[in-house]
């Protein structure tokens, strides 16, 4: 994407169609009904819907929005692109209220838009972290408040628990909304290569799981030890602090059922941040690729 909001595809719907078609159909239009790529014509004429094609193999009409998260939304494609660009570029996220004001939408529409975009940001990579013996930092944090839970005198029982992993070599992160230790151990075993050098704090739940890996080193936070050689969890804690600042400042009222989408948003931005060589425009284009093939109905969203 162009590097600022003055680019024409943010302001002109026809340009927006061309922009999306170029990226989703690099080799020309593909019929979403039958998968055909031949005998497809662009429909012309004043009363024709924008971006409409007809497939003469299955005789059905389609646009580039069909079969993607853009489908069945009345919001203009250029507005979608602008929303994606804004979300991709704001380090701490952008609230639905702010998005509504900036784009001239109702808050409800802005909310649906941003939830769909978050869905597009869910990457769910299956490559193992720490492949080839790299360091992987693992840590947990607590956020918000579970519905109906009173604030206890001590402990974190009323909060939502988030597990984070950072692969130090690739700079990528993964965030999970988790219940407890067993689930954490399961994720660590599933997402890390056995060659990995696992780095955690001294929490007892990492001990047994740590034996499965080439190395497990823990920093002793209780003794105020944060770095020992290259053993540290400072990277994942830095990622958490961006997430928490965003959640506190922008998304104050995050229901537990939506937490995974916010986590996906922060994970995506973190994994494609400037430091790993990804600018706002490239990040937004990556997001666009995530739009393909993901459908999210309004019902599934509420
Ligand atoms: Zn077809």
């Amino acid at each position: 994407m162009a590097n600022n909001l003055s680019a024409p595809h943010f302001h002109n719907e026809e340009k927006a169609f061309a922009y999306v078609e170029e990226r989703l159909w690099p080799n020309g239009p593909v019929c979403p009904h039958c998968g055909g790529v031949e005998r497809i014509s662009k429909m012309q004429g004043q009363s024709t819907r924008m971006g409409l094609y007809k497939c003469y193999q299955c005789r059905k009409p389609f646009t580039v929005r069909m079969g993607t998260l853009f489908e069945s939304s009345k919001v203009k494609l250029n507005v979608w692109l602008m929303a994606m660009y804004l979300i991709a570029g704001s380090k701490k996220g952008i609230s639905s209220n702010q998005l509504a004001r900036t784009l001239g939408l109702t808050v409800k529409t802005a909310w649906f838009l941003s939830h769909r975009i978050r869905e597009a940001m869910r990457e769910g990579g299956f490559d193992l972290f720490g492949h080839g013996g790299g360091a992987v930092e693992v840590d947990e944090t607590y956020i918000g408040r579970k519905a109906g839970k009173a604030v206890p005198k001590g402990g974190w029982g009323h909060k939502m628990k988030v597990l984070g992993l950072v692969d130090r070599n690739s700079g990528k992160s993964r965030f999970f909304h988790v219940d407890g230790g067993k689930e954490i151990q399961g994720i660590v075993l599933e997402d890390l290569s056995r060659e990995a050098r696992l780095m955690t704090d001294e929490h007892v739940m990492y001990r047994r799981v740590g034996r499965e890996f080439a190395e497990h080193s823990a920093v002793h936070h209780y003794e105020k030890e944060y770095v020992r050689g290259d053993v540290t969890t400072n990277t994942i804690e830095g990622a958490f602090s961006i997430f928490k600042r965003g959640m506190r400042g922008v998304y104050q009222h995050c229901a537990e059922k939506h937490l995974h989408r916010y986590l996906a948003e922060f994970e995506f931005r973190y994994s494609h941040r400037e430091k790993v060589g990804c600018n706002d425009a490239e990040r937004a284009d990556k997001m666009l690729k995530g739009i393909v093939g993901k459908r999210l109905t309004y019902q599934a969203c509420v």
Side-chain angles (χ1 to χ4, degrees):
M1 279 195 192
N3 283 316
N4 63 61
L5 282 173
S6 65
H9 60 264
F10 292 131
H11 303 279
N12 175 309
E13 198 178 13
E14 222 169 320
K15 296 247 163 57
F17 266 97
Y19 186 88
V20 173
E21 288 174 6
E22 241 169 66
R23 278 153 186 81
L24 301 192
W25 296 333
N27 304 312
V30 182
C31 171
H33 305 291
C34 72
V37 292
E38 278 158 26
R39 295 200 292 139
I40 290 171
S41 300
K42 184 152 193 178
M43 307 301 278
Q44 308 284 357
Q46 293 223 314
S47 59
T48 307
R49 228 172 352 131
M50 197 174 290
L52 196 66
Y53 288 82
K54 185 164 178 181
C55 170
Y56 286 93
Q57 294 181 58
C58 68
R59 313 204 67 79
K60 286 181 185 149
F62 65 91
T63 76
V64 74
R65 295 173 72 129
M66 202 169 273
T68 73
L69 286 182
F70 298 134
E71 189 175 352
S72 74
S73 143
K74 290 191 181 76
V75 177
K76 289 187 169 173
L77 202 52
N78 55 304
V79 176
W80 269 100
L81 293 183
M82 201 184 267
M84 288 165 66
Y85 186 83
L86 290 170
I87 291 177
S90 55
K91 193 173 176 195
K92 288 189 281 173
I94 180 163
S95 73
S96 302
N97 282 308
Q98 181 65 47
L99 204 61
R101 280 196 299 274
T102 311
L103 299 177
L105 303 169
T106 65
V107 173
K108 194 176 169 211
T109 304
W111 191 87
F112 286 130
L113 223 63
S114 50
H115 265 60
R116 286 187 180 199
I117 292 169
R118 270 181 210 114
E119 192 64 24
M121 292 163 103
R122 241 171 38 181
E123 297 196 294
F126 294 108
D127 50 321
L128 294 174
F129 275 17
H131 182 74
V136 181
E137 297 180 27
V138 178
D139 198 13
E140 330 91 67
T141 192
Y142 297 86
I143 188 141
R145 193 169 152 183
K146 290 181 187 165
K149 282 261 184 182
V151 180
K153 283 218 170 78
W156 303 99
H158 62 299
K159 287 182 165 285
M160 298 179 273
K161 196 178 211 171
V162 170
L163 176 74
L165 323 173
V166 169
D167 181 318
R168 245 191 245 161
N169 284 344
S170 69
K172 288 196 188 284
S173 73
R174 272 177 208 157
F175 290 152
F176 303 87
H177 177 203
V178 290
D179 269 332
K182 278 244 163 357
E183 202 181 350
I184 291 179
Q185 290 165 338
I187 291 169
V188 172
L189 287 173
E190 236 168 70
D191 280 50
L192 266 65
S193 159
R194 292 296 181 275
E195 312 163 295
R197 300 176 61 219
L198 174 65
M199 313 231 163
T200 66
D201 60 21
E202 65 270 74
H203 200 294
V204 64
M205 74 181 163
Y206 293 119
R207 255 181 233 160
R208 185 181 298 170
V209 81
R211 290 185 206 123
E212 302 283 331
F213 298 95
E215 178 191 324
H216 174 212
S217 302
V219 277
H220 301 282
H221 285 172
Y222 286 122
E223 291 155 36
K224 297 213 165 6
E225 180 197 58
Y226 296 96
V227 183
R228 191 178 67 251
D230 75 342
V231 179
T232 181
T233 55
N234 284 351
T235 322
I236 183 63
E237 280 166 47
F240 279 150
S241 82
I242 297 169
F243 172 63
K244 285 181 149 180
R245 264 179 284 152
M247 292 303 282
R248 245 197 311 265
V250 180
Y251 307 116
Q252 290 103 331
H253 311 289
C254 168
E256 201 167 354
K257 63 183 173 187
H258 295 310
L259 181 60
H260 69 285
R261 293 211 181 92
Y262 291 104
L263 289 170
E265 176 185 344
F266 281 90
E267 173 184 311
F268 181 92
R269 263 199 309 264
Y270 186 84
S271 293
H272 303 290
R273 64 196 186 281
E274 300 273 0
K275 212 177 151 187
V276 295
C278 200
N279 65 31
D280 289 354
E282 288 161 339
R283 204 175 305 120
D285 268 357
K286 284 212 161 79
M287 212 186 262
L288 185 59
K289 302 233 162 78
I291 290 276
V292 189
K294 282 187 187 150
R295 283 170 208 253
L296 184 69
T297 64
Y298 275 20
Q299 286 76 12
C301 197
V302 186

